[in-house]
Amino acid sequence: MNEQNTLEQSFKLTGILKKVLYKNEENKYIIAVLENDQKICGVYFDAQIDKIVGEEIVLEGNWIKHKKYGIQFEFNTLVVNEAEMFFFLTKIVKGISKKFAKELLKKYTEEELINILDNDPNVLLKFKGIKEKKLKTIILSWKKFKHLRLLGTFLSQYNISSNLINKIYSHFLELDNLIDKIKENPYILVAIKGIGFRRADEIARLLDIDEKSDFRIKACLLYSLNEHCDKNGNSSIAKKDLFKLLDDLLHFTNEETLYEISLLDMLAQEEIHQTTANRYSPAMLYFAEKKIMNFFDMRKNDKNPKIINELDKYLENKKSKLEFKLDKEQKQAVKLVNEGHKTLFLIGYAGTGKSTSSRAILDLLQEVNSYDDIITIALSGIASQRIADTTGYKSATIQSLLIKHKEDDFFPYKVILLDEASMVNCVMFYKIISKISDDCIFVIVGDDGQLPAIGAGNVLCDSINFELAPICKLTQIHRQNNKQAITTIANEIRQGKIPKYDEEYEDFKFINVSIPNHYSNKSTLNSYEYSDERVNNSNDILTNILNISVLYIKQYYDFIKNKNIAKALSLYQVITPMKAGILGVININIQLQKLFNTTKGKGYATKLYEYKLTDKVIHIKNENMKAQNMTMYKDNSTQFLEKRIFNGQLGFIIKLDFENNKCIVLYPNDDLVVFYDFDSLNTLLNLAYCLTIHKTQGMEYENALIPMSFSHSIMHNTKLLYTAITRAKKMCYIIGEEEAFKSACKKIESTKRESVINDLLK
């Protein structure tokens, strides 16, 4: 905040929350206004503050005089001023609106109402708007959640949302005296995704927990270690960097001795592990990467008998029968498998023939294995379908295979080919190899020029760097003619070269929308004039994006009419580096939705988007969801499956159910229909007409468009641009500033991930 004068005395303030003016997702700082137009500000840990607009709130804090904004109330605590039973009925029990809850509590005492809900719920049918179906929802929800009342009463005073209260109860289901345990050590709540150290620390402060307690230091240490790994993709951290994170979170200085004591204790308990003299890793990541190393090490000298004695003759026969022509590098990949290697890395950049080589390898292995003993796998449904189409072999997503064989010691396959391995983080890679039997041949296919996996670890690059298994690297680019340039341009960018981007190609088009004399204007114009010029240019780029997008609307709807939703979703994709701004994901999504979705029916509005029938959407958080397969859905089945839906899965809204507050999404590549509560849309779904480059990893689209602006220069580098361009299969457009494009082509990505494998082997 800017400079301000603070009055020392502590005050209480009560009022109706009228509007949230500002919210910082990182530090949870908010500015809001009450119905009497009094401004309030402070840190609010509940991510769902928008949900309590219109509620009476009680604040404790101080009046401050802000240099710019005048008198404001800066709160230390903010709680909703409502009766415990009202909170429970409206926030946790499904089917009871605020209006109905007020009616019930006006007519009955709490004891009477509890007795009705437990023993005579049909009484509620007398109330207007309560039918059999609604009553059933209320009864089932009451029975499921009534045990949460005391926990809800205790936690609601600390601004814990109803969803989190339910998660806390579920997580600690087997723990007796949970409230007492939380009072003793509120940091146990850090284990719940959605709480984090800061929120637990706020509760601890209100419970007067000693700021130097062992609970606090250890919780912060583990949280900092996990957060660092999760956000940066690392699986280990240097001690000095870890201690700096502790200083920042705990607001301590010169407490290294205190940290060392907790660190040694956690090492002894194996909650964390030491990788080198001054580097540490969370137990789960250390275990995963150690097991990966052991897996490759055990297989190094374990070989199968040769499959074909005269390989060249075999390949020549394949060529004549199937037009199966391999170059020298591709033949080397087949040769390594033929020689009996049980593990192989097949690495290739865009257009080097990884799919052709994969098919050749699998065909060779089918000489000694049945077709049903061979499977290809990938992280996303789209990538899984693509490798099935190009090789002709069965395919599955990694997660579906893991779930299907959850109870089995090993996958029942003799050959497994993993595609798009650059997307697979160390934990997922460990889950795969832990199910691979000793006699199973494992082929890992990937492109180390792409962005690394979301999540911790760098398994593909580490495996290549330390040659954990035989490696065949494909470098020769295959294209049908000189007018096809996507792969050539992408590979030149990967090497830090500026490609011939402004020539006529069948599959690549650069549309120059630059600011004339950009560099001289930047130095001569004042900041306001230069900002206006940038805004105008961004709007010109956006206009071009929309003009090209219009070309694909008819084809998009033709696919939908023919019920080929998967084709519709992969027809056309706008890909941009950042979320905010004129050329960011959010604004472009809103503009494209106006073009691609002309549905007249009612939509459901969230703080970011209004969701409508037929919208293209993306799931944004790994989560177990209530789902059905398409057959169950068409048959109006009342049975549901629990399915893990992954960050990055593309879907299509097939129904908005306003009676039950559900958004129903079809994921065609997974044959899944998933049911979202309206309240969860903010945290689980986004529109997907435009996506960030990171979100498109492992995906492929017939046509892709990438805006290029100096506004995004902080994100520009060769790896990001290479990944974006190689998402396009048939046509790639780049629209924007020529100099920004050239700058991105020369900015070689050199960031290296820190990993357990690297620590132990370097």
Side-chain angles (χ1 to χ4, degrees), residues 228 236-243 278-280 754:
H228 169 81
S236 70
I237 187 175
K239 185 198 284 187
K240 62 181 178 59
D241 295 328
L242 179 59
F243 283 7
N278 286 299
R279 295 191 65 80
Y280 299 89
E754 297 168 325

Side-chain angles (χ1 to χ4, degrees), residues 236-440:
S236 70
I237 187 175
K239 185 198 284 187
K240 62 181 178 59
D241 295 328
L242 179 59
F243 283 7
K244 173 68 169 63
L245 292 173
L246 294 180
D247 284 344
D248 292 344
L249 261 181
L250 297 170
H251 307 294
F252 286 164
T253 54
N254 303 318
E255 291 290 356
E256 287 80 4
T257 303
L258 191 64
Y259 301 160
E260 289 281 4
I261 293 168
S262 293
L263 191 63
L264 288 170
D265 192 33
M266 293 175 80
L267 283 168
Q269 298 297 320
E270 296 190 345
E271 293 177 84
I272 60 173
H273 287 266
Q274 193 165 6
T275 59
T276 63
N278 286 299
R279 295 191 65 80
Y280 299 89
S281 173
M284 181 180 68
L285 301 182
Y286 180 84
F287 177 81
E289 295 204 18
K290 277 281 286 182
K291 289 291 184 183
I292 291 168
M293 289 167 58
N294 292 342
F295 172 83
F296 287 121
D297 191 52
M298 288 172 62
R299 288 177 152 244
K300 250 183 180 172
N301 300 312
D302 185 15
K303 292 171 70 173
N304 287 327
K306 185 178 279 191
I307 300 170
I308 300 288
N309 287 322
E310 296 183 48
L311 185 63
D312 288 337
K313 186 177 178 181
Y314 165 83
L315 291 175
E316 193 61 35
N317 288 336
K318 279 283 183 185
K319 174 184 165 184
S320 58
K321 286 181 182 177
L322 303 172
E323 298 179 2
F324 213 86
K325 188 176 180 181
L326 303 180
D327 64 28
K328 186 178 178 181
E329 292 171 336
Q330 293 171 322
K331 284 181 180 177
Q332 178 61 20
V334 180
K335 184 180 177 183
L336 285 168
V337 173
N338 189 56
E339 288 172 351
H341 290 284
K342 287 188 175 180
T343 317
L344 172 71
F345 281 96
L346 178 63
I347 308 302
Y349 301 123
T352 55
K354 294 189 296 295
S355 296
T356 301
S357 303
S358 297
R359 182 182 169 190
I361 288 168
L362 296 180
D363 279 0
L364 173 68
L365 289 168
Q366 201 188 337
E367 297 290 333
V368 289
N369 296 281
S370 74
Y371 177 83
D372 289 334
D373 282 335
I374 300 171
I375 193 165
T376 63
I377 59 173
L379 194 61
S380 71
I382 288 176
S384 169
Q385 186 61 53
R386 188 173 69 246
I387 193 65
D389 293 341
T390 54
T391 63
Y393 289 88
K394 289 187 300 184
S395 190
T397 61
I398 295 168
Q399 189 62 24
S400 66
L401 199 69
L402 288 169
I403 291 171
K404 185 177 179 181
H405 300 289
K406 186 178 179 181
E407 304 302 322
D408 301 331
D409 291 334
F410 300 108
F411 296 133
Y413 298 102
K414 299 296 184 186
V415 178
I416 296 175
L417 184 143
L418 167 64
D419 195 32
E420 295 284 1
S422 62
M423 290 183 64
V424 181
N425 62 39
C426 67
V427 173
M428 185 59 75
F429 201 94
Y430 161 70
K431 288 179 180 179
I432 296 167
I433 58 107
S434 67
K435 290 278 188 180
I436 291 178
S437 60
D438 291 342
D439 61 346
C440 177

